[in-house]
Amino acid sequence: SQTIHQWPATLVQPVGSPLSLECTVEGTSNPNLYWYRQAAGRGLQLLFYSVGIGQISSEVPQNLSASRPQDRQFILSSKKLLLSDSGFYLCAWRVADERYGYTFGSGTRLTVV
Amino acid sequence: GENVEQHPSTLSVQEGDSAVIKCTYSDSASNYFPWYKQELGKRPQLIIDIRSNVGEKKDQRIAVTLNKTAKHFSLHITETQPEDSAVYFCAASKRGSSYKLIFGSGTRLLVRP
């Protein structure tokens, strides 16, 4: 069966520090991968998505970047965090078929101080 | 691009009553409509979905209806229980366009014992 791993679960980082969040999927190949951010009490904002190795699409201009160095690995990064980067970051995967939904990772709660 | 609107933003019902959450979408090419439940601090979990070739789908106390002509779909929860209290998100997607899901803004459901 397919599983998705996301880490770390929580993170407290100072303003200006770098960030690296990792997501991996097991049990499937060539998944579509997505990074979402959820501000406290708010909805799900799509940040990046990837349909293959090295293929990254950005939905919202911001202080973040994403990479997909391997088929089942998706990384969210920042060189210098801002206070506004705080939030709940969720990775998700989906087969390339519109008949099926996402499976979300357990999320990373990031607090920038 | 696709836009999904969700109403109401908050909903409070007495235990045992029914709850209805409504969503409208803008892209007539959308053909997949999932609903997610997110408990406090947790990842969104898929609870039910419907595809555009179906008008209604039921799973125990949960049902979803789709009106393609009007471009809206609804979640119905009958005999609500306190454990139904959560934030519910609707979403829409279509073939291609990376199969990304566009989410509504969420509905916070509170079931009063």
Side-chain angles (χ1 to χ4, degrees), chain B residues 74-101:
Chain B
S74 300
L75 178 70
H76 305 253
I77 306 175
T78 59
E79 301 173 18
T80 54
Q81 302 168 3
E83 52 264 37
D84 294 328
S85 296
V87 178
Y88 292 81
F89 292 97
C90 63
S93 73
K94 61 183 179 182
R95 179 173 297 187
S97 70
S98 73
Y99 300 99
K100 59 188 176 185
L101 285 174

Side-chain angles (χ1 to χ4, degrees), chain A residues 87-105:
Chain A
F88 191 42
Y89 288 82
L90 289 155
C91 178
W93 80 273
R94 184 186 197 186
V95 296
D97 187 328
E98 75 277 15
R99 295 172 295 174
Y100 301 93
Y102 288 173
T103 298
F104 283 94

Side-chain angles (χ1 to χ4, degrees), chain B residues 1-50:
Chain B
E2 174 68 282
N3 183 51
V4 178
E5 294 190 357
Q6 183 172 346
H7 301 280
S9 57
T10 60
L11 180 59
S12 180
V13 301
Q14 194 69 38
E15 182 178 359
D17 288 350
S18 294
V20 180
I21 302 171
K22 300 180 179 181
C23 289
T24 60
Y25 60 98
S26 60
D27 191 339
S28 57
S30 290
N31 60 358
Y32 176 72
F33 308 93
W35 286 88
Y36 286 81
K37 175 183 180 182
Q38 186 180 29
E39 297 177 347
L40 189 64
K42 302 289 184 62
R43 76 185 91 183
Q45 301 265 24
L46 179 67
I47 57 171
I48 195 168
D49 56 14
I50 191 166

Side-chain angles (χ1 to χ4, degrees), chain A residues 76-91:
Chain A
L76 183 70
S77 305
S78 174
K79 293 182 179 178
K80 290 184 178 181
L81 284 169
L82 306 172
L83 287 173
S84 58
D85 292 324
S86 294
F88 191 42
Y89 288 82
L90 289 155
C91 178

